[in-house]
């Protein structure tokens, strides 16, 4: 290959890599974690990607080796060994290893065993998020609608429920998603270690305005949280679905292209 063509190919590869890398960031990127739970999930995802890539490459190499021997007229002496090692032993070791790894890291993903510094009650409804903040003494210190604030570096216990249908509470940069189910309270513990733009969303289709159920997450210094809550109404007005709107549709809270951050 001429030097000019090699340089052009290298430039194209570098540009493609830069574009792919830029897609790993952003306020809603699982690949750019801002807390320990999301970091553990990302680490597990990269581990499985690397592991199964290695397995796939190994399978392709074995296939190439087998086809090459067939072309040479050479057949394996004991083909059952290939089935035993490649079809039984290898999958058993890989799956068992992933099972052990997932079991050991599940506590860090869910926050089980970590004492919460505060509690935030989350109530989902079509199409709205209602947050109620409690301090360490379980006293309500404020509320907010469609906007969440978290103290930097503190473990928060989210108590999640729904007023109508099943929703799903998800902040990709902080952790996994948890369903919001009517009549049930699900618990999730998350911590934000970086004061960076973060966005949450409903991850369960819940009606025609499902895509608008997004909310910004403000990561504040613990001392600033009280002032932020003081700037909110004592009891924000809920926005239930309009009786005059088409079935399953409520007045939009965010424009289709609005940056809620």
């Amino acid at each position: 290959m001429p030097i000019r063509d090699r340089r052009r190919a290298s430039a194209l590869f570098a540009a493609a890599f830069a574009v792919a890398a830029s897609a790993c960031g952003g306020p809603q990127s699982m690949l750019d974690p801002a807390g320990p739970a999301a970091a553990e999930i990302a680490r597990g995802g990269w581990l499985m990607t690397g592991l199964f890539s290695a397995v796939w490459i190994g399978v392709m190499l074995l296939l190439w080796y087998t086809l090459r021997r067939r072309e040479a007229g050479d057949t394996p002496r004991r083909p059952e060994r290939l089935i035993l090692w490649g079809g039984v032993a290898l999958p058993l070791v890989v799956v068992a290893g992933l099972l052990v790894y997932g079991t050991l890291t599940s506590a860090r993903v869910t926050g089980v065993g970590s004492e919460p510094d505060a509690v935030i009650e989350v109530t989902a409804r079509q199409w709205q998020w209602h947050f109620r903040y409690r301090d360490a003494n379980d006293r309500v210190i404020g509320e907010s609608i469609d906007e969440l604030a978290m103290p930097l570096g503190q473990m928060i216990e989210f108590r999640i429920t729904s007023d109508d249908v099943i929703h799903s509470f998800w902040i990709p940069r902080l952790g996994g998603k948890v369903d919001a189910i009517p009549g049930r309270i699900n618990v999730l513990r998350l911590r934000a270690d970086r004061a960076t733009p973060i966005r949450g969303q409903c991850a369960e289709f819940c009606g025609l305005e499902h895509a608008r159920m997004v909310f910004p997450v403000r990561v504040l210094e613990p001392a600033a949280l009280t002032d932020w809550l003081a700037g909110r109404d004592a009891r924000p007005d809920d926005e239930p679905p309009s009786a005059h709107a088409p079935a399953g549709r409520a007045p939009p809270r965010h424009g289709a292209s609005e940056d809620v951050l």
Side-chain angles (χ1 to χ4, degrees), residues 28 122-131 145-147 160-172 180 199-216 239 241 248 250-256 260:
Q28 207 167 328
V122 182
T123 302
R125 61 176 63 90
Q126 295 173 310
W127 284 268
Q128 187 183 84
W129 292 99
H130 178 198
F131 302 103
I145 292 288
D146 282 341
E147 190 173 16
I160 305 161
T161 189
S162 170
D163 271 353
D164 38 50
V165 300
I166 295 178
H167 301 269
S168 189
F169 177 78
W170 188 30
I171 307 176
R199 184 169 58 218
Q201 71 171 76
C202 176
E204 183 84 17
F205 181 72
C206 54
L208 297 180
E209 298 296 330
H210 159 72
R212 299 185 190 273
M213 280 195 68
V214 295
F215 56 92
E239 186 179 297
R253 300 193 60 81
H254 304 295
V260 300

Side-chain angles (χ1 to χ4, degrees), residues 1-257:
M1 180 182 293
I3 296 178
R4 180 179 300 177
D5 291 342
R6 287 203 299 268
R7 289 178 177 175
R8 184 176 301 173
S10 299
L12 289 174
F13 177 79
F17 179 81
V19 171
S22 65
C24 296
Q28 207 167 328
S29 174
M30 297 180 296
L31 302 179
D32 187 17
E40 197 62 57
I41 293 173
R43 189 179 298 111
W46 286 118
L47 173 65
M48 287 189 288
T49 300
L51 180 61
F52 287 115
S53 295
V55 170
W56 181 81
I57 292 173
V59 170
M60 292 297 101
L61 289 175
L62 286 174
L63 177 62
W64 170 80
Y65 178 71
T66 301
L67 294 176
R68 185 178 180 183
R69 292 189 62 176
R70 179 179 296 178
E71 290 176 357
D74 187 16
T75 59
R77 297 179 180 178
R78 298 182 61 184
E80 65 275 6
R81 288 187 302 180
L82 182 62
I83 298 175
L84 179 63
W85 288 104
V88 178
L90 179 61
L92 184 62
V93 170
V94 171
V95 173
L98 289 176
L99 179 62
V100 172
Y101 176 82
T103 302
L104 295 176
T105 60
S106 61
R108 289 194 289 271
V109 171
T110 60
V112 174
S114 301
E115 288 298 323
D117 298 299
V119 171
I120 299 179
E121 297 175 349
V122 182
T123 302
R125 61 176 63 90
Q126 295 173 310
W127 284 268
Q128 187 183 84
W129 292 99
H130 178 198
F131 302 103
R132 180 181 290 109
Y133 302 78
R134 295 182 179 272
D135 61 14
N137 297 318
D138 205 34
R139 296 175 300 187
V140 176
I141 59 174
E143 302 182 41
S144 64
I145 292 288
D146 282 341
E147 190 173 16
L148 173 64
M150 293 181 62
L152 178 66
Q154 291 190 1
M155 182 65 72
I156 304 300
E157 179 176 285
F158 293 92
R159 299 173 183 172
I160 305 161
T161 189
S162 170
D163 271 353
D164 38 50
V165 300
I166 295 178
H167 301 269
S168 189
F169 177 78
W170 188 30
I171 307 176
R173 294 190 69 182
L174 296 184
K177 59 184 179 179
V178 171
D179 282 346
I181 303 174
R184 178 184 177 89
I185 297 177
N186 289 328
V187 175
L188 177 66
R189 292 175 180 171
L190 300 175
R191 192 180 76 211
D193 290 338
R194 294 165 55 193
T196 182
I198 300 175
R199 184 169 58 218
Q201 71 171 76
C202 176
E204 183 84 17
F205 181 72
C206 54
L208 297 180
E209 298 296 330
H210 159 72
R212 299 185 190 273
M213 280 195 68
V214 295
F215 56 92
V217 180
R218 316 291 185 188
V219 182
L220 309 172
E221 292 294 335
L225 178 62
T226 303
D227 294 336
W228 187 88
L229 289 173
R232 298 290 169 292
D233 294 335
R235 178 63 174 87
D237 293 332
D238 293 340
E239 186 179 297
S242 171
H244 304 291
R249 187 179 293 273
R253 300 193 60 81
H254 304 295
S257 61

